[in-house]
Amino acid sequence: MTKEMPIHWLCQACRRVPAAEEVCDDDPLEPYRLCHECANRLRCRALRPIEWFNLAALHGWTKFLLHDDFYDQDGQACQPDVDNYVTEENHAPTLEMCAGSLERLIDYCITRWHLGKEEFEAFKPFVASKVLAAIVDRANAGNRHIWETMVRLCANVVGDLAAPWVSAQSDRACRDGSLFIWAEAAAKCLAAPEGLHKTIDALRIFHGRDLQKQMSALSWFRAPAVLDWIEINVPREDVTAAWGQLASLSDLDWGRVQSWLASGRPLSLVALDALASCIPRQGQARILTILNPKLKGCGDRSTIGHALRTYEAEDSAPRVATKCTFIIQHLDELRTE
């Protein structure tokens, strides 16, 4: 859906000529304001890289007409619905090109599928208070994707200086379904245990599968208190591997694992999944590759093997047998501390 508009905006894509129409296909509340040529290229999934970059920096790359089915992370069209698609050297800027401008560096981060050390370190030359002010301005003006990116930057770039703002964002995190994103900032910016308590409070409204989807937010705190929370909240049946993953990231020690194995289901299943999460392998959840969970307090790996064989003799269900076999076969790879 498009509509003509008065010429008082620059085209959000090319940023060279006045905008002539609004394209409301993705979000009527947040339309693209474009010149006719860029609007046509947008509809044909054939934006030039710099045009894609400029739009993604304003609206986020997750919008339907901008997302990763149609463009790669550098704005190159993957499925252009035009003949002879050419970029005419209109490339999207690189991190190096954006690093000299705080505003453009934030633009660059908004367009990334994933943020990492390289992007975070690019903010070091800038004064932290100015970075925070720019982040808050963008978060207040942007949609959910923009807001989530700004929260991630607070977590990894600003730190405790952002504590008041991060704390005030907890309600929006719950409202927008972004608790996992917010919890990273809470863990890194807020004084302990404020962030953990706020996250646990936010989880009270969830139950069943909804709770299992949301509880990964607790992973960022790496806190034994989360193990106590698991003991209270783990369901009696349908215990998914998510519970074990969370336990592995929560300062898990061998004494707790032994206690859970001895107690039987459901905590014994959580213990097995937690041990398996401490073994690196392809296909693991991304947070496991970021946080690298380790089992504490067990110097002799043969002790683990013996305990698992003893437990398997009491519970020989296929799930248990498969998991015990996997852990025993990969004991040398199990990360410990």
Side-chain angles (χ1 to χ4, degrees):
M1 182 176 68
T2 64
K3 67 178 182 179
E4 298 293 323
M5 61 176 294
I7 298 178
H8 61 276
W9 297 85
L10 272 182
C11 172
Q12 292 178 338
C14 66
R15 299 190 182 181
R16 292 198 302 258
V17 299
E21 60 181 283
E22 289 186 345
V23 180
C24 305
D25 300 51
D26 275 351
D27 185 351
L29 299 178
E30 192 180 44
Y32 304 110
R33 296 186 174 97
L34 305 170
C35 66
H36 289 309
E37 290 186 1
C38 287
N40 183 58
R41 284 195 288 271
L42 176 66
R43 286 188 288 265
C44 293
R45 303 184 298 277
L47 290 170
R48 296 161 180 162
I50 186 59
E51 295 165 353
W52 173 88
F53 180 93
N54 288 336
L55 282 183
L58 281 174
H59 298 272
W61 63 265
T62 58
K63 289 292 185 73
F64 177 73
L65 290 175
L66 302 176
H67 72 62
D68 56 356
D69 278 354
F70 301 145
Y71 297 92
D72 68 17
Q73 193 172 210
D74 296 317
Q76 193 75 24
C78 303
Q79 303 181 46
D81 190 19
V82 295
D83 295 328
N84 302 317
Y85 169 72
V86 293
T87 63
E88 297 182 359
E89 302 302 319
N90 291 291
H91 300 301
T94 63
L95 175 59
E96 184 178 5
M97 294 167 63
C98 294
S101 164
L102 177 56
E103 291 299 326
R104 208 55 170 161
L105 181 55
I106 292 175
D107 285 346
Y108 181 86
C109 290
I110 293 170
T111 68
R112 298 303 89 188
W113 295 348
H114 299 291
L115 294 175
K117 182 179 179 181
E118 190 176 15
E119 288 82 13
F120 300 143
E121 289 187 345
F123 285 88
K124 285 184 176 180
F126 300 100
V127 176
S129 59
K130 292 186 177 180
V131 175
L132 177 59
I135 285 173
V136 171
D137 285 345
R138 290 292 189 96
N140 290 340
N143 57 30
R144 173 181 169 179
H145 174 84
I146 307 297
W147 179 85
E148 288 184 345
T149 304
M150 296 307 100
V151 171
R152 286 220 63 207
L153 290 179
C154 276
N156 293 282
V157 173
V158 181
D160 56 8
L161 181 64
W165 183 78
V166 170
S167 181
Q169 299 306 301
S170 59
D171 287 343
R172 178 169 181 178
C174 295
R175 184 175 66 250
D176 290 354
S178 302
L179 190 60
F180 178 82
I181 298 293
W182 176 84
E184 180 187 11
K188 295 179 179 179
C189 300
L190 303 185
E194 180 187 355
L196 176 59
H197 289 171
K198 278 180 171 287
T199 306
I200 289 176
D201 287 343
L203 290 172
R204 295 185 193 280
I205 65 172
F206 298 104
H207 304 280
R209 292 183 180 180
D210 290 335
L211 177 60
Q212 292 183 28
K213 291 178 182 177
Q214 296 292 333
M215 70 184 184
S216 60
L218 296 171
S219 302
W220 295 109
F221 297 96
R222 316 300 299 274
V226 176
L227 300 175
D228 299 333
W229 181 89
I230 289 173
E231 291 182 348
I232 295 170
N233 290 277
V234 65
R236 300 296 303 174
E237 298 178 347
D238 298 324
V239 181
T240 68
W243 292 92
Q245 175 181 301
L246 176 58
S248 73
L249 293 166
S250 302
D251 207 29
L252 182 67
D253 64 82
W254 176 238
R256 181 87 67 155
V257 172
Q258 287 180 301
S259 173
W260 286 359
L261 288 174
S263 71
R265 297 188 180 207
L267 288 170
S268 58
L269 298 180
V270 178
L272 294 179
D273 287 329
L275 290 175
S277 293
C278 293
I279 299 172
R281 61 189 184 279
Q282 289 186 341
Q284 282 188 313
R286 189 164 183 265
I287 191 151
L288 292 175
T289 64
I290 294 173
L291 298 181
N292 295 317
K294 297 178 181 178
L295 177 67
K296 296 186 175 182
C298 185
D300 186 359
R301 294 170 191 265
S302 63
T303 302
I304 300 175
H306 176 73
L308 293 182
R309 292 186 185 94
T310 300
Y311 176 72
E312 187 180 358
E314 300 174 358
D315 185 346
S316 59
R319 172 181 176 176
V320 170
T322 299
K323 194 70 68 171
C324 287
T325 298
F326 170 79
I327 298 168
I328 292 170
Q329 288 179 344
H330 296 85
L331 271 178
D332 289 342
E333 301 165 46
L334 189 145
R335 289 176 295 218
T336 60
E337 184 177 305

